[in-house]
Amino acid sequence: MKQQVVIVDYGMGNLRSVQKKLIKFLPDIILTSDPYQISKADKLLLPGVGHFAMAVKNIIKLGIWDTVNETVLVKGTPVLGICLGMQLMARHSQEGNVNGFGWFDAEVVRFKVEDKLKYKIPHIGWNNVLPTKPSKLFEGIPADSEFYFVHSYHIKSNKKSDVLAFTEYESSFVSAFERNNIFGVQFHPEKSHIMGEKLLSNFLKI
């Protein structure tokens, strides 16, 4: 039976590049903000690039906040958050001082670096992702693989067991987390070539 994979369109960029990558594995990827289609999804993706507070505003304005919450928390639909989409899974963000979905006991904070010549903000480019525990999301991906990042804010988790991977950028930050059916990655798998495609393929199989 064909699974219905839905990318939640809340108007915050980079969604079609994710769709384009996923079409390599499944031809009928749905990009939508329709509550009915979101609620019927077998898999959800929550990508995004941009401002946290604007993303929250858009999701509420579109009338899909409660639908996404119910689909993930009540129905247990697997969901993958990418970059801003991962950050939206946290309780709160410094970017706009607003609350997220609160699926993880975590907050989104701005990078603070001492060596501003060596470590630029935003953090842009390739960096190693180091898993902290086994996961189907990283199955077949070497533990020191590089992925592509673009971000000025990062996740600070209050629950160690939720952390799936970390990355070093002067200091360590959470670059992936996982709990039950909920997955989030700070990097962009859709821009990360072979390893990124492998991760997206792994998610579709979960």
Side-chain angles (χ1 to χ4, degrees):
M1 184 176 176
K2 185 173 67 174
Q3 64 174 328
Q4 180 166 302
V5 178
V6 170
I7 299 172
V8 180
D9 183 359
Y10 58 103
M12 294 300 288
N14 215 43
L15 307 182
R16 293 203 177 275
S17 60
V18 175
Q19 184 185 34
K20 185 177 178 180
K21 283 292 181 182
L22 289 170
I23 284 173
K24 294 181 71 173
F25 308 107
L26 287 173
D28 300 318
I29 303 296
I30 300 169
L31 177 61
T32 186
S33 57
D34 178 68
Y36 178 79
Q37 288 190 307
I38 292 171
S39 69
K40 296 300 180 184
D42 298 302
K43 298 280 189 334
L44 275 183
L45 286 102
L46 196 64
V49 175
H51 196 277
F52 189 102
M54 182 59 70
V56 170
K57 181 180 178 180
N58 287 359
I59 293 169
I60 293 172
K61 186 177 180 180
L62 288 165
I64 58 174
W65 184 276
D66 290 342
T67 302
V68 173
N69 251 326
E70 182 180 348
T71 303
V72 172
L73 298 182
V74 179
K75 295 184 177 179
T77 301
V79 59
L80 174 63
I82 297 172
C83 195
L84 178 58
M86 172 192 180
Q87 294 178 2
L88 287 167
M89 297 174 171
R91 291 189 183 278
H92 183 267
S93 176
Q94 290 179 352
E95 189 177 28
N97 190 31
V98 295
N99 293 331
F101 284 110
W103 299 339
F104 289 93
D105 184 8
E107 59 181 319
V108 181
V109 299
R110 185 170 175 83
F111 270 113
K112 291 182 179 179
V113 296
E114 297 295 328
D115 188 345
K116 292 182 173 62
L117 292 176
K118 185 176 181 180
Y119 298 100
K120 304 294 185 181
I121 306 301
H123 170 213
I124 300 175
W126 295 86
N127 211 329
N128 298 93
V129 172
L130 304 169
T132 60
K133 60 184 179 181
S135 170
K136 291 181 179 179
L137 194 64
F138 283 96
E139 198 169 87
I141 297 175
D144 61 347
S145 294
E146 288 189 330
F147 291 85
Y148 190 81
F149 290 83
V150 183
H151 61 126
S152 298
Y153 290 78
H154 65 91
I155 289 285
K156 182 179 178 182
S157 177
N158 297 315
K159 196 170 182 181
K160 188 176 180 180
S161 60
D162 289 340
V163 177
L164 176 56
F166 68 90
T167 294
E168 295 286 341
Y169 195 65
E170 190 174 70
S171 58
S172 295
F173 69 89
V174 176
S175 51
F177 54 31
E178 171 185 347
R179 190 178 69 251
N180 300 326
N181 59 306
I182 308 173
F183 303 84
V185 294
Q186 182 60 66
F187 51 85
H188 288 272
E190 76 281 5
K191 296 181 179 180
S192 299
H193 305 323
I194 294 173
M195 292 299 102
E197 290 182 6
K198 176 62 175 171
L199 186 141
L200 291 172
S201 175
N202 285 346
F203 175 69
L204 295 179
K205 296 173 185 175
I206 289 172

